[in-house]
């Protein structure tokens, strides 16, 4: 993906002027993802977006972890914009490398972080811009209440007589049951 030089707002639309903004800057260290995850979680749980807190924590943790693992940026800057129906999070670093792209490596140990963000966020992307004498790179994502509500819809109740066998290990042949679990004879 070629670099995109974006205007000062690093996502394609502006949140309403009634949004609140919160910022956090910290050293790019192994602890940065946890610090940011806790910051975003506390911020959203104490406000009107408690339903978005877990998705936001997971997404921001993935993006900040990418900064730590794949850049030499000294700082990680996080901006959280909280609107009435959505939350936008920007994670910015000073690394001049290429913009991130989600990797599809189901057999690999890594490369799924942006796929997680893609699956949870209403939209996401990345951009670069020049700030004074340095170039910055921002990965942003937007979470909406509508997306969270769609994920939280309960599954329909099973019809009588079609309930699955939910005993530990019942659905997996060869899987040993825990000794302390109630054991019923396995169906043949």
């Amino acid at each position: 993906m070629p670099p995109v030089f974006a205007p000062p707002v690093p996502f394609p639309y502006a949140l309403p002027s009634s949004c609140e903004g919160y910022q956090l800057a910290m050293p790019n260290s192994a602890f940065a993802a946890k610090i940011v995850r806790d910051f975003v979680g506390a911020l959203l749980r104490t406000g009107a977006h408690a339903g978005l807190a877990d998705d936001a924590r997971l997404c921001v943790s993935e993006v900040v972890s990418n900064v730590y693992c794949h850049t030499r940026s000294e700082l990680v800057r996080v901006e959280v914009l909280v609107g009435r129906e959505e939350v936008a999070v920007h994670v910015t670093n000073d690394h001049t490398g290429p913009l991130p792209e989600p990797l599809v490596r189901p057999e690999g140990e890594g490369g799924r972080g942006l796929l997680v963000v893609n699956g949870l966020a209403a939209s996401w992307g990345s951009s670069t811009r020049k700030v004074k004498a340095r170039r910055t790179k921002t990965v942003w994502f937007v979470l909406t209440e509508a997306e969270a509500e769609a994920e939280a819809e309960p599954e329909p109740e099973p019809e009588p007589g079609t309930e699955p066998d939910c005993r530990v290990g019942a659905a997996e042949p060869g899987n040993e049951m825990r000794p302390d679990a109630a054991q019923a004879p396995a169906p043949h």
Side-chain angles (χ1 to χ4, degrees), residues 120-143:
L120 295 175
S123 60
W124 75 277
S126 59
S127 62
T128 61
R129 65 183 174 150
K130 189 172 182 176
V131 177
K132 297 183 182 173
R134 70 176 199 267
R135 234 178 247 299
T136 64
K137 180 174 25 182
T138 299
V139 175
W140 57 267
F141 59 88
V142 177
L143 299 170

Side-chain angles (χ1 to χ4, degrees), residues 62-166:
E62 292 293 344
V63 175
V64 172
S65 293
N66 283 348
V67 173
Y68 177 69
C69 292
H70 303 294
T71 76
R72 292 188 179 132
S73 181
E74 290 183 24
L75 286 176
V76 178
R77 290 177 298 286
V78 177
E79 182 178 22
V80 181
L81 301 173
V82 181
R84 181 176 287 176
E85 296 178 8
E86 60 191 4
V87 174
V89 178
H90 306 172
V91 177
T92 302
N93 67 77
D94 298 328
H95 185 69
T96 59
L99 291 170
E101 292 184 43
L103 300 175
V104 181
R105 296 184 314 190
E107 71 283 351
E109 289 185 25
R112 293 184 197 92
L114 291 176
L115 293 174
V116 169
V117 173
N118 186 58
L120 295 175
S123 60
W124 75 277
S126 59
S127 62
T128 61
R129 65 183 174 150
K130 189 172 182 176
V131 177
K132 297 183 182 173
R134 70 176 199 267
R135 234 178 247 299
T136 64
K137 180 174 25 182
T138 299
V139 175
W140 57 267
F141 59 88
V142 177
L143 299 170
T144 63
E145 290 293 335
E147 291 287 322
E149 289 170 8
E151 288 178 16
E153 286 184 21
E155 293 185 26
E157 292 289 322
E159 292 182 29
T162 62
E163 290 86 11
D165 187 352
C166 295

